[in-house]
Amino acid sequence: MQEKQTLTTHDFYYDLPEELIAQTPVEPRDSSRLLVYDRSCDKIYHRHFYDIADYLKEGDLLVVNNTRVIPARLFGHVENHESVLETLLLRRIDYTHWETIMKPARKARLGSVINYAEGLSAVVTEVGDYGSRTVEFKFEGVFEDILDRVGNMPLPPYIKEKLQDKERYQTVYSRIDGSAAAPTAGLHFTPELIDKLKAKGVEFATVLLHIGLGTFRPVKEENILDHKMHTEYYEIDEENADKINKAVKEGRRVICVGTTSVRTLETVADENGYVRPCKGETDIFIYPGYRFKCVKGLITNFHLPESTLIMLVSAFAGREKTLEIYKTAVNEKYRFFSFGDACFFL
């Protein structure tokens, strides 16, 4: 049970110069910088991601999210209007219905028809807050094939540079289509680094969480307890639940790659840290005062100020310590957000 605290959104603010927002990914993937914070001795180390094996040991279990980003950004026109309307697909409801965000939302009214390329169109069937719209798509053929041709990779709005290689916004272990954003902590891993870690005795388990509105929606409420997380779909299968439970039983470290893996495990873990094979929707909101049941370490990127993600990290490392680490990262000129550098809390 999370403790109720009087925390405001501004309590999670830090000052970030715009020039530190990473616009392009580094090559190779594991050459990004890595800030390591060791909670046991309260020390910070500055390394590169390819050095992460130095902080992992035999028997550690890394839990990764194998979701795959779909080309979820569409550009179309509201029928009888010339202005362009942007649609971001967030969550598939059924074969033809999707939860979306539209901009400018004022043009997408209930019943509006939006026409895209290749005969694809959508009717707005429900109007929500913050630009959210439920739509019913009309098309001939296979929706996924059409989307692959007319859709764009849904890069965050703070990335202005064009992405040259679409696969660079996918993790090397991505498998299951469905996300509206990448689980960016995993972007640093290469197949060679994974093989190196496995050779050292580090184990891997996979979970699934399709990233949607829960990630995109900003915190607008002054009191963070008033913020409502939207649901996102998750799955843990029997094989990977067994791997996680074996590590918990044997007292080995369960280390999540990314906040989405954290949210998945903590959604289903019992008080002793054991998980069960299951699937469903989660709206878990983790902020300071939360007692982690399963997760013992976190590999993540640096997150937006005043976001639910920095609140989750603050729950794990402490709010004041997290802001201190972020200030250090700014002073050391780390690269921030999706294509930025990584941070390892152990």
Side-chain angles (χ1 to χ4, degrees):
M1 192 75 175
Q2 291 198 162
E3 300 172 6
K4 292 189 174 181
Q5 300 189 14
T6 308
L7 287 172
T8 68
T9 301
H10 192 71
D11 287 329
F12 300 90
Y13 177 81
Y14 67 94
D15 188 29
L16 177 69
E18 188 173 349
E19 62 267 21
L20 294 185
I21 300 174
Q23 295 296 315
T24 55
V26 298
E27 293 296 344
R29 292 169 179 256
D30 61 358
S31 63
S32 58
R33 296 173 69 191
L34 175 67
L35 186 154
V36 180
Y37 173 59
D38 188 338
R39 294 181 296 166
S40 66
C41 58
D42 191 28
K43 287 188 177 180
I44 292 174
Y45 305 92
H46 302 288
R47 305 292 298 274
H48 287 88
F49 201 82
Y50 50 69
D51 298 316
I52 198 166
D54 295 343
Y55 300 93
L56 295 169
K57 58 190 177 183
E58 181 179 359
D60 283 342
L61 180 68
L62 294 186
V63 180
V64 302
N65 179 7
N66 67 352
T67 188
R68 187 167 174 82
V69 185
I70 61 173
R73 178 166 278 123
L74 296 166
F75 295 94
H77 299 268
V78 178
E79 203 160 74
N80 301 321
H81 291 273
E82 294 185 358
S83 56
V84 175
L85 186 141
E86 178 183 343
T87 303
L88 179 64
L89 307 183
L90 293 178
R91 185 174 67 92
R92 191 171 202 161
I93 300 169
D94 56 34
Y95 185 63
T96 57
H97 289 81
W98 282 77
E99 182 181 3
T100 73
I101 290 178
M102 292 189 173
K103 294 190 299 184
R106 67 182 184 278
K107 296 185 179 296
R109 301 174 180 175
L110 188 65
S112 294
V113 177
I114 300 98
N115 294 313
Y116 307 98
E118 297 203 13
L120 180 67
S121 65
V123 180
V124 177
T125 60
E126 188 175 332
V127 174
D129 296 330
Y130 305 107
S132 66
R133 300 289 187 271
T134 300
V135 303
E136 180 182 5
F137 280 104
K138 310 286 186 179
F139 54 90
E140 291 186 6
V142 179
F143 180 80
E144 289 79 7
D145 292 344
I146 299 170
L147 185 64
D148 193 52
R149 292 193 297 271
V150 305
N152 299 273
M153 291 302 283
L155 295 180
Y158 48 75
I159 294 180
K160 311 300 182 185
E161 297 289 329
K162 182 177 176 60
L163 182 63
Q164 299 301 318
D165 177 10
K166 287 184 178 181
E167 281 301 306
R168 197 54 185 83
Y169 195 54
Q170 307 279 11
T171 63
V172 298
Y173 46 75
S174 64
R175 293 293 181 271
I176 303 174
D177 287 342
S179 267
T184 55
L187 295 179
H188 306 282
F189 284 89
T190 64
E192 295 78 13
L193 179 58
I194 292 173
D195 288 344
K196 178 181 178 181
L197 294 175
K198 288 181 177 178
K200 187 173 183 177
V202 176
E203 299 179 10
F204 283 77
T206 60
V207 297
L208 174 70
L209 184 136
H210 288 323
I211 303 167
L213 192 58
T215 292
F216 282 90
R217 185 185 172 195
V219 180
K220 294 184 176 293
E221 295 78 6
E222 181 179 359
N223 185 335
I224 68 169
L225 298 181
D226 295 330
H227 178 72
K228 172 63 177 174
M229 293 284 286
H230 282 241
T231 61
E232 294 167 308
Y233 179 79
Y234 72 87
E235 286 184 14
I236 302 179
D237 64 26
E238 185 173 358
E239 177 185 355
N240 287 285
D242 287 346
K243 287 183 181 179
I244 294 163
N245 290 336
K246 189 172 186 291
V248 171
K249 183 177 181 180
E250 295 173 356
R252 294 186 278 122
R253 294 191 298 183
V254 175
I255 299 169
C256 280
V257 178
T259 56
T260 59
S261 298
V262 172
R263 295 180 64 234
T264 304
L265 293 193
E266 292 297 318
T267 292
V268 302
D270 65 20
E271 291 303 312
N272 297 311
Y274 294 105
V275 302
R276 66 190 188 283
C278 58
K279 60 181 70 175
E281 304 280 341
T282 180
D283 62 355
I284 189 171
F285 179 20
I286 297 175
Y287 52 84
Y290 181 86
R291 185 179 69 83
F292 287 85
K293 303 185 286 287
C294 183
V295 179
K296 303 302 181 186
L298 171 61
I299 299 168
T300 187
N301 281 22
F302 295 99
H303 303 293
L304 282 164
E306 300 183 338
S307 65
T308 60
L309 302 180
I310 195 173
M311 293 173 189
L312 184 153
V313 174
S314 297
F316 191 79
R319 185 184 68 86
E320 291 183 0
K321 177 56 67 174
T322 298
L323 292 176
E324 177 188 326
I325 289 168
Y326 272 60
K327 182 177 180 181
T328 298
V330 168
N331 292 338
E332 294 290 332
K333 307 297 184 186
Y334 276 76
R335 302 164 75 246
F336 279 67
F337 307 155
S338 295
F339 288 140
D341 297 315
C343 190
F344 184 12
F345 297 89
L346 73 154

